[in-house]
Amino acid sequence: MASSLATNQSIINVAAICGSLRKGSYNRGLIRSAIELTNQPSLIPDMSINYVDISPLPMLNTDLEKDGKYPPAVDTFRQKILEADCFLFASPEYNYSVTAPLKNAIDWASRPPNVWADKAAAIVSAGGSFGGGRSQYILRQSGVYLDIHFINKPEFFLNAFEDPPKFDEEGNLIDPAAKERLKKVLLALKAFTLRLQSK
């Protein structure tokens, strides 16, 4: 298993992937808030989150694979996934499922060799009344085949449209209770990553 973790207090590198390409996306706001939390070692020590942009990826087409090589954008993306210790998915819900950009990214990184395999992951989502929850179930199903080990609890679904406001006009998370829940997700992801890497 690829890992940057040593026996001492090394940094856990998290690749954060958002299923929305919109700059003001609430789900991107969740990732920004997660990054802010990990930038405070007193809250979450020894964890670094790197946002991985999936917008440059072409739509999956195996005709683009030439002589066993992938297009440059795909190769760069796959390398970032390979080098990560674990993953944080921010998955909005479109039509009871994951978004097309997120599914596309998942499929590109699953091409041989599958660079998702045998690592921990967590999912967060923001949306309507169910907070994007249905997309999480679909993503978990894909994870079974890809050997991604999702944490089971705590779950994080956030109704982005109820009062009081959860996000500001730029899509930044401002709700203290939601930030505390997000912190618990990250701590659980860290603990599960360490468990998997100790095996």
Side-chain angles (χ1 to χ4, degrees):
M1 183 191 314
S3 171
S4 67
L5 213 63
T7 56
N8 59 1
Q9 291 288 322
S10 297
I11 301 296
I12 294 175
N13 293 306
V14 185
I17 302 111
C18 181
S20 174
L21 304 184
R22 188 172 64 89
K23 290 183 178 179
S25 161
Y26 293 147
N27 286 276
R28 285 187 69 172
L30 293 178
I31 290 179
R32 286 194 299 274
S33 186
I35 291 172
E36 291 172 1
L37 287 168
T38 57
N39 285 339
Q40 302 178 62
S42 62
L43 296 178
I44 305 177
D46 306 316
M47 177 177 270
S48 175
I49 298 178
N50 300 297
Y51 171 67
V52 180
D53 185 9
I54 62 175
S55 63
L57 295 173
M59 288 301 294
L60 182 70
N61 180 352
T62 55
D63 288 343
L64 299 177
E65 301 174 22
K66 303 294 184 181
D67 300 321
K69 295 182 180 180
Y70 297 99
V74 173
D75 196 52
T76 298
F77 172 71
R78 286 173 54 86
Q79 190 62 32
K80 290 178 179 179
I81 297 303
L82 180 64
E83 292 173 353
D85 294 304
C86 57
F87 313 113
L88 175 65
F89 292 94
S91 181
E93 179 183 323
Y94 286 13
N95 299 319
Y96 280 21
S97 186
V98 298
T99 65
L102 180 55
K103 183 60 167 63
N104 187 54
I106 288 169
D107 291 345
W108 269 124
S110 73
R111 295 292 296 158
N114 171 24
V115 293
W116 298 111
D118 212 22
K119 295 181 183 179
I123 318 171
V124 296
S125 60
S129 59
F130 195 23
R134 295 180 186 89
S135 72
Q136 295 197 20
Y137 301 147
I138 299 298
L139 186 52
R140 286 178 180 274
Q141 287 180 347
S142 294
V144 173
Y145 183 76
L146 299 173
D147 289 329
I148 299 175
H149 306 294
F150 285 105
I151 64 170
N152 291 324
K153 294 179 181 178
E155 295 179 308
F156 188 104
F157 316 117
L158 183 62
N159 186 334
F161 306 106
E162 65 181 0
D163 290 324
K166 302 298 185 289
F167 298 87
D168 65 18
E169 293 180 354
E170 296 179 346
N172 297 306
L173 183 66
I174 59 174
D175 182 68
K179 289 186 178 182
E180 181 63 24
R181 290 173 54 207
L182 183 58
K183 183 182 79 170
K184 291 178 180 178
V185 169
L186 295 174
L187 289 171
L189 175 60
K190 176 184 174 182
F192 194 32
T193 301
L194 290 170
R195 281 179 56 193
L196 288 178
Q197 293 182 341
S198 66
K199 293 182 178 180

